[in-house]
Amino acid sequence: MILHELIDFEILRLLWWLLLGVLLIGFAMTDGFDMGVGALLPFVAKTDTERRVVINTIGPVWEGNQVWFILGGGAIFAAWPPLYAVSFSGFYLAMFVILAALILRPVGFKYRSKRDSARWRETWDWCLFIGGFVPALIFGVAVGNVLQGVPFHLTEILLPVYEGSFFGLLNPFALVCGLASVAMLVMHGSAWLALKTEGVIAERSKVFGTYASVAVIALYALAGLWMALGVTGFSFAEAPVVDGPSNPLLSEVLHEGTWMVAYSERPWIVIAPILGFLGPLGVLYGIRAGREGLTFLASKTAILGMISSVGLTMFPFILPSTTDPRSSLTVWDASSSHLTLFVMFTTTLVFFPLVLAYTAWVYKVLWGKVTEKDVLEQSDSVY
């Protein structure tokens, strides 16, 4: 037996779909609070010292957190090449805006303290705001468009052709998803600041966290209702071949009905939206009870539930097509080869635990609250 045949092609495809979900959720849980803190920076901190406190809560960890984003992009490129080709070409301008905003973060961190000028520092603080708010919004808009389907088709030689426009992505449902994403990450950033700071900054963060939690519940419910009543789903015309060649054009896909049929076919997936609602409710309780650790854990639970609900509802679709449903990309027909998935999976088994162990060690070393005394005693620090 050839070594890679030890694991069925079907199982490997499913495992990489799960791993991709883990990477995206990990990115939202880690770099998500960085973006949330950046979006909150001009509002929870009024003085330069307060802003330095806020920045120092994420300054030592944001670069490591962003690794999850890189790993997610790498996983899409290697495990799901058609998904990478369609999304990164069709969403090119949106990706460019995200990258431009993310570039402002390291520049803002490194440059804001280079001059002792209030206007200079305030300018870079607003750059950090853009670096947090804009990616959070566009990531949510992208999810909203994926749920509705994307206007693309595959040629007979599987060349992807995107037929939409950047402004076409900014449709009402996608914008609701974008606002839900912003609210979710602002809530997460608030929970982080409540955990890592004290005094007036922590109190302001709790206020914003309360508002953001209520917004998450309302927007998540609105998006779910809208998806049930106004978003057409996708389904296979007949049972798909789960271990066949990676060629979407071999399957017949229907663009009709609703995504919500998934909950009658797989009732257990209802746990995801339940967690999506329980998470922000837990944040509200944690804030009122003054339990910062519980608040942060509840915020992570909300992220887990909300992102999982998208993937589980759409499964096995990962990027459906509105202009040619037959071109829709699914878990079963858009992956790399059996051998490629196997080699990547065995490599992941070795290195992924090391990444988790190192990340846990970093957070343990850097644990504790950041105070004004800390930053004032380090007046020559980068942040």
Side-chain angles (χ1 to χ4, degrees):
M1 177 182 291
I2 301 176
L3 188 60
H4 69 270
E5 292 181 353
L6 292 172
I7 306 179
D8 292 339
F9 199 10
E10 173 189 359
I11 299 300
L12 279 172
R13 282 169 162 168
L14 184 59
L15 286 173
W16 271 104
W17 176 77
L18 291 171
L19 282 170
L20 179 59
V22 168
L23 292 173
L24 295 178
I25 292 171
F27 168 62
M29 285 185 176
T30 55
D31 207 36
F33 68 72
D34 294 341
M35 289 187 283
V37 169
L40 286 167
L41 178 61
F43 310 106
V44 297
K46 302 301 182 181
T47 67
D48 181 66
T49 301
E50 289 177 356
R51 292 184 178 183
R52 288 188 63 204
V53 169
V54 170
I55 291 171
N56 272 275
T57 65
I58 59 174
V61 297
W62 73 269
E63 288 177 291
N65 292 341
Q66 198 161 262
V67 168
W68 290 89
F69 181 51
I70 299 171
L71 289 175
I76 294 174
F77 173 77
W80 312 99
L83 174 61
Y84 184 90
V86 176
S87 59
F88 278 71
S89 59
F91 297 166
Y92 180 80
L93 288 178
M95 293 291 183
F96 182 84
V97 172
I98 289 175
L99 291 176
L102 289 177
I103 287 171
L104 290 177
R105 283 205 302 180
V107 178
F109 284 133
K110 302 301 182 183
Y111 276 82
R112 79 171 303 276
S113 295
K114 296 300 183 183
R115 291 179 57 187
D116 190 14
S117 164
R119 176 171 293 183
W120 171 271
R121 295 188 174 191
E122 185 177 357
T123 299
W124 289 114
D125 289 340
W126 280 105
C127 288
L128 292 174
F129 165 81
I130 294 171
F133 177 84
V134 171
L137 177 66
I138 296 182
F139 282 133
V141 168
V143 171
N145 279 279
V146 170
L147 283 166
Q148 295 175 101
V150 177
F152 75 95
H153 71 271
L154 300 176
T155 67
E156 292 302 320
I157 59 172
L158 301 183
L159 177 68
V161 179
Y162 181 72
E163 303 170 38
S165 65
F166 172 75
F167 292 103
L169 301 175
L170 304 178
N171 56 79
F173 176 74
L175 289 174
V176 167
C177 293
L179 292 175
S181 174
V182 171
M184 179 183 74
L185 297 187
V186 167
M187 176 185 70
H188 200 38
S190 299
W192 174 256
L193 288 176
L195 183 68
K196 293 289 290 182
T197 64
E198 58 186 21
V200 66
I201 299 175
E203 292 306 312
R204 290 181 191 138
S205 299
K206 291 176 182 179
V207 172
F208 280 101
T210 300
Y211 291 141
S213 300
V214 173
V216 168
I217 295 171
L219 290 167
Y220 187 47
L222 175 60
L225 182 63
W226 196 327
M227 191 170 71
L229 301 178
V231 176
T232 305
F234 292 78
S235 61
F236 283 104
E238 55 186 27
V241 178
V242 298
D243 58 354
S246 294
N247 184 349
L249 299 180
L250 298 179
S251 301
E252 189 65 33
V253 174
L254 303 176
H255 185 202
E256 60 185 27
T258 172
W259 285 118
M260 294 305 174
V261 71
Y263 291 89
S264 60
E265 296 174 346
R266 304 185 300 275
W268 61 270
I269 68 174
V270 73
I271 187 63
I274 289 176
L275 291 176
F277 283 111
L278 288 179
L281 289 174
V283 171
L284 290 172
Y285 171 77
I287 290 174
R288 289 179 61 87
R291 300 177 62 180
E292 292 86 1
L294 175 63
T295 302
F296 191 55
L297 180 61
S299 181
K300 287 190 173 186
T301 301
I303 291 173
L304 172 63
M306 293 173 71
I307 296 179
S308 296
S309 66
V310 175
L312 291 172
T313 300
M314 292 182 61
F315 181 85
F317 291 88
I318 51 180
L319 190 64
S321 168
T322 54
T323 53
D324 179 21
R326 193 169 63 117
S327 296
S328 298
L329 307 181
T330 76
V331 172
W332 310 128
D333 57 25
S335 72
S336 291
S337 68
H338 192 170
L339 177 60
T340 299
L341 294 183
F342 178 78
V343 171
M344 290 170 55
F345 181 70
T346 54
T347 304
T348 301
L349 288 179
V350 175
F351 289 102
F352 194 59
L354 296 178
V355 172
L356 291 177
Y358 175 75
T359 301
W361 177 78
V362 168
Y363 277 95
K364 180 180 179 181
V365 170
L366 298 173
W367 198 247
K369 292 185 179 292
V370 179
T371 65
E372 292 191 11
K373 180 181 178 182
D374 293 331
V375 300
L376 290 175
E377 288 179 350
Q378 300 174 14
S379 58
D380 59 342
S381 68
V382 173
Y383 308 114

